[in-house]
Amino acid sequence: MTPEVKKEYQSFFLESVAGQHFVEHLQKLIDIQHRSAENEPELARDYVQRAKGIREVISHIQSVTAKPKKGRVKS
């Protein structure tokens, strides 16, 4: 990931209201998918897979926006 892209991700997802709202909405979608899985057991696998896909998006955002720990030497 280029430093420019990382900076833009941080600016949007960590600092802007819209980006924070988007991530919150993703979290709500995960909850909705899990509730749907409980309410419709015959489709539970489908709902859980959708939740997993949403978690992968959140994981990507977190990995790109992560700030390096102090004391680490970048090679």
Side-chain angles (χ1 to χ4, degrees), residues 61-72:
I61 292 168
Q62 289 172 339
S63 70
V64 174
T65 59
K67 296 181 181 177
K69 293 183 179 181
K70 291 183 180 182
R72 289 238 162 142

Side-chain angles (χ1 to χ4, degrees), residues 16-75:
S16 78
V17 174
Q20 292 170 5
H21 175 71
F22 179 73
V23 173
E24 288 172 10
H25 185 69
L26 291 175
Q27 295 286 359
K28 288 177 188 173
L29 287 175
I30 291 171
D31 292 339
I32 291 168
Q33 296 304 314
H34 284 296
R35 270 190 258 119
S36 297
E38 292 174 4
N39 294 334
E40 299 179 61
E42 66 279 0
L43 299 174
R45 182 181 181 282
D46 296 334
Y47 289 119
V48 172
Q49 289 300 310
R50 289 179 191 160
K52 180 182 177 187
I54 297 166
R55 280 193 307 275
E56 288 176 356
V57 171
I58 292 172
S59 177
H60 169 73
I61 292 168
Q62 289 172 339
S63 70
V64 174
T65 59
K67 296 181 181 177
K69 293 183 179 181
K70 291 183 180 182
R72 289 238 162 142
V73 177
K74 189 175 179 181
S75 28

